Amino acid sequence: MARSLYEWLWQHEFWLPPGITWEDMQESEDTHYPQPRDLLLSIPFALILVVVRRAFERAIALPLSTKLGVRDKQRPKAQPNPVLETFYSTRRKNPEEAELLSLAKQCDLPVRKVEKWFRRRRNMDRPSLSKKFSEACWRFTFYIISFFTGLAVLYDKPWLWDHRECWTGYPQQPLQPSLFWYYMLELSFYWSLVFTLPFDVKRKDFKEQIVHHAATIFLISFSYCANYIRIGTLVMVIHDASDCFLEPTKIFNYMKWKKTCDSLFMIFSAVFLISRLVIYPYTVLYNTYYYSMEIFQPFFGYYFVNVLLIILQLLHVFWSCLIIHMVYKFILQGTMEKDMRSDTEESDKDEEREKIREKEKNGITYFSNVTSNGYIQRNGSEPLNNRAHLANGHAKER
């Protein structure tokens, strides 16, 4: 059965244009084509990248964050409470009102204290600023290396300048060693991101990130197997271009270098919108959808790769909307809005308000109220006009 599934999966009709079979893709001593088994190398390479990342964050990023003045916020810890901890771990992290009342009765605590416990407990699980800084440093380092590696590999390739060259001789386009290692570098990196997803900082677009990583891995893998190497290299270098500006924007934001952060964000926004909404559709989508049909008739691989590319474009549109909204706010307000994808920390202002309410309840709070007659009363004392004012500003009872 496994053999039948294997034979069905690798039918040349799925992977190759009409009129081309696997016999036409036979290798020789001087000619090498992409082999699906090569993709297995990306798994151990990804694990190596995870180890390298761990060492980089500990040995370089964390000490660097300290030297640059990145300080983690001191968060009040939630007091140990087995009942609340069990509910937090097994049920939900943000209980509803009825659940809060039930938990308050079980623990013999006021509802406000139960709310405070859950708020502090959620904040304890949120990543620290130094962790965010370390992740951004690692991604920035990789994207810089990857982007310039892509430019070094592609600068002398004809399809970088003439996109129709992506299809010259397709699919019998020999695999060059530089292209192979560039592919392995990118594919291994995205596999490493998948491996570390449970431990990385989770943002509001977490689900979109998963779709993005999955679509990218499928796209890279399929383009390699179907020998869409040339179009695949264009996709990767276009994506890395804007990411090189996103990560340093985050780094300077964590350092609280506001003007530098704002300037880099505007540069990132321009590069992202141009590369993902202009260059990508023309260089990649139009290329694969129209130019490729000048060489061969549509087949399964043609439709499949275009679907993956369109999924990426939809994600580009989603993130572009967030970016445009942030730029709009910046232009109106003159200040950069917080990253809308971030899971913001719950402020202890709620606790301060609770303390104020408790003081008011106990009659400790002193407040001032200016009436229409200009009287000022404090703690129920006599109006100020019943007192004689002395020249030194003190009041004396009559």
Side-chain angles (χ1 to χ4, degrees):
M1 183 176 179
R3 183 174 180 81
S4 300
L5 179 62
Y6 178 86
E7 292 176 352
W8 175 84
L9 178 63
W10 294 106
Q11 294 180 72
H12 62 82
E13 290 87 358
F14 291 164
W15 302 88
L16 302 173
I20 303 293
T21 65
W22 291 117
E23 284 73 19
D24 299 317
M25 302 293 293
Q26 293 296 323
E27 295 184 332
S28 64
E29 293 183 2
D30 301 325
T31 305
H32 298 280
Y33 296 114
Q35 300 296 325
R37 62 177 178 271
D38 298 340
L39 298 176
L40 296 175
L41 292 173
S42 64
I43 303 300
F45 288 161
L47 296 176
I48 292 173
L49 280 179
V50 171
V51 174
V52 171
R53 170 184 171 174
R54 185 68 173 171
F56 174 88
E57 291 181 350
R58 284 194 171 186
I60 298 176
L62 280 176
L64 183 62
S65 68
T66 303
K67 290 184 178 180
L68 294 177
V70 177
R71 296 288 183 268
D72 292 332
K73 183 178 178 180
Q74 295 297 323
R75 299 166 178 166
K77 293 184 178 180
Q79 294 297 322
N81 189 309
V83 175
L84 300 181
E85 185 66 37
T86 301
F87 185 94
Y88 182 88
S89 303
T90 59
R91 297 284 298 277
R92 66 177 74 189
K93 298 181 179 181
N94 199 353
E96 297 177 353
E97 186 175 354
E99 293 170 329
L100 286 172
L101 291 171
S102 174
L103 290 169
K105 289 181 180 178
Q106 293 180 47
C107 300
D108 195 21
L109 292 172
V111 175
R112 287 200 184 100
K113 286 193 175 181
V114 176
E115 288 178 332
K116 182 193 297 185
W117 189 93
F118 276 96
R119 181 167 57 251
R120 289 185 171 183
R121 185 65 180 84
R122 287 192 295 268
N123 283 338
M124 287 171 61
D125 281 350
R126 287 189 170 89
S128 62
L129 204 60
S130 58
K131 177 175 175 58
K132 294 179 180 179
F133 180 91
S134 300
E135 282 192 16
C137 282
W138 165 250
R139 291 173 187 261
F140 172 63
T141 302
F142 177 85
Y143 288 134
I144 283 288
I145 293 173
S146 177
F147 178 66
F148 284 102
T149 298
L151 291 182
V153 168
L154 294 177
Y155 84 96
D156 60 344
K157 303 299 187 293
W159 63 87
L160 180 63
W161 315 106
D162 183 2
H163 306 320
R164 281 185 167 87
E165 287 293 326
C166 288
W167 313 109
T168 301
Y170 179 83
Q172 295 169 310
Q173 297 171 336
L175 175 64
Q176 301 176 21
S178 60
L179 298 178
F180 168 79
W181 288 111
Y182 181 43
Y183 249 72
M184 286 298 108
L185 176 67
E186 291 279 353
L187 183 58
S188 300
F189 175 69
Y190 282 103
W191 271 121
S192 72
L193 292 182
V194 171
F195 296 158
T196 58
L197 267 178
F199 314 104
D200 289 345
V201 175
K202 289 183 175 60
R203 303 184 184 275
K204 291 182 180 178
D205 62 347
F206 179 71
K207 294 180 180 178
E208 288 80 4
Q209 287 283 356
I210 294 176
V211 174
H212 175 270
H213 296 340
T216 302
I217 290 172
F218 276 120
L219 179 59
I220 293 175
S221 301
F222 182 83
S223 65
Y224 186 86
C225 294
N227 206 11
Y228 282 111
I229 298 291
R230 297 184 180 184
I231 201 69
T233 54
L234 294 179
V235 173
M236 293 187 292
V237 78
I238 289 172
H239 278 71
D240 289 340
S242 59
D243 291 332
C244 290
F245 293 98
L246 174 61
E247 301 306 327
T249 301
K250 296 178 183 178
I251 290 172
F252 285 110
N253 180 44
Y254 303 144
M255 292 167 56
K256 302 190 184 304
W257 288 25
K258 189 176 183 331
K259 291 185 178 179
T260 306
C261 174
D262 292 349
S263 300
L264 278 174
F265 182 80
M266 297 304 291
I267 296 173
F268 159 74
S269 301
V271 174
F272 185 95
L273 296 175
I274 293 173
S275 62
R276 305 291 180 95
L277 300 184
V278 179
I279 297 177
Y280 178 85
Y282 173 72
T283 303
V284 177
L285 291 181
Y286 189 84
N287 192 2
T288 56
Y289 194 79
Y290 289 105
Y291 289 164
S292 61
M293 288 194 294
E294 297 177 358
I295 307 298
F296 54 81
Q297 294 297 315
F299 64 106
F300 175 81
Y302 164 85
Y303 293 113
F304 189 71
V305 76
N306 275 286
V307 167
L308 293 176
L309 293 172
I310 290 172
I311 290 175
L312 283 183
Q313 182 59 22
L314 292 176
L315 291 169
H316 296 164
V317 172
F318 170 78
W319 283 311
S320 295
C321 291
L322 296 181
I323 291 170
I324 291 171
H325 180 75
M326 294 177 71
V327 172
Y328 176 74
K329 289 286 187 181
F330 176 75
I331 294 173
L332 288 184
Q333 301 174 359
T335 183
M336 187 60 61
E337 191 182 47
K338 195 186 312 184
D339 186 356
M340 294 168 63
R341 302 180 306 139
S342 297
D343 188 13
T344 55
E345 182 169 333
E346 296 173 80
S347 173
D348 284 339
K349 289 181 180 178
D350 295 332
E351 295 183 18
E352 294 173 7
R353 284 193 290 268
E354 287 175 8
K355 290 178 182 178
I356 292 173
R357 284 197 297 265
E358 290 175 4
K359 288 180 180 180
E360 288 176 349
K361 209 171 184 180
N362 298 329
I364 301 174
T365 303
Y366 295 86
F367 62 93
S368 298
N369 180 25
V370 179
T371 66
S372 58
N373 295 325
Y375 294 160
I376 301 178
Q377 293 181 327
R378 302 190 182 192
N379 262 352
S381 62
E382 293 182 291
L384 194 59
N385 66 337
N386 289 337
R387 301 181 179 186
H389 290 265
L390 302 180
N392 60 5
H394 295 285
K396 181 180 179 180
E397 297 291 342
R398 288 181 181 176

